[in-house]
Amino acid sequence: MSLTDILSPSDIAAALRDCQAPDSFSPKKFFQISGMSKKSSSQIKEIFRILDNDQSGFIEEDELKYFLQRFECGARVLTTSETKTFLAAADHDGDGKIGAEGIDYFKNR
């Protein structure tokens, strides 16, 4: 399964266009534009599984900086500031990684 099996390719493209400039990425806005905020919890968990590059069950900071590239190969890398802000917002237990429930957090914002 790929992200385009769950999300519209045109919505993904629009979300990526919206955050092309460094330090312009907003997880909440990205989730809204890409259509992720409208998906069910089970669909969010499947998206999370696809984004979890090493299949550890968590998205760690090193994986998170490549978040946009998981949607499109040529997308930019998140800046250090964007990565830390994203991690802080979704890491509910402060362990330095995001579980599927952390990604689901943005769906409800």
Side-chain angles (χ1 to χ4, degrees):
M1 181 171 280
S2 73
L3 289 170
T4 55
D5 292 330
I6 303 168
L7 302 171
S8 155
S10 61
D11 288 346
I12 290 171
L16 290 170
R17 272 193 311 276
D18 184 71
C19 62
Q20 282 181 341
D23 294 316
S24 66
F25 176 76
S26 161
K28 179 180 177 179
K29 192 172 182 185
F30 187 87
F31 280 43
Q32 290 171 343
I33 295 171
S34 70
M36 289 172 69
S37 61
K38 297 175 190 166
K39 299 302 176 185
S40 68
S41 289
S42 63
Q43 288 172 309
I44 292 291
K45 285 183 171 116
E46 182 60 26
I47 290 168
F48 179 88
R49 189 192 64 71
I50 294 167
L51 295 173
D52 179 12
N53 196 39
D54 64 4
Q55 298 300 296
S56 66
F58 298 96
I59 298 177
E60 293 88 3
E61 189 171 346
D62 284 346
E63 289 175 305
L64 197 57
K65 68 181 172 182
Y66 298 105
F67 178 80
L68 298 177
Q69 291 183 350
R70 301 295 289 159
F71 290 87
E72 181 181 280
C73 272
R76 71 178 181 86
V77 174
L78 293 179
T79 66
T80 300
S81 174
E82 290 170 321
T83 303
K84 290 190 182 304
T85 299
F86 192 176
L87 185 61
D91 177 15
H92 299 297
D93 59 8
D95 64 358
K97 52 191 175 184
I98 302 170
E101 69 285 342
I103 294 292
D104 201 35
Y105 166 83
F106 290 101
K107 176 180 166 322
N108 301 313
R109 297 288 169 217

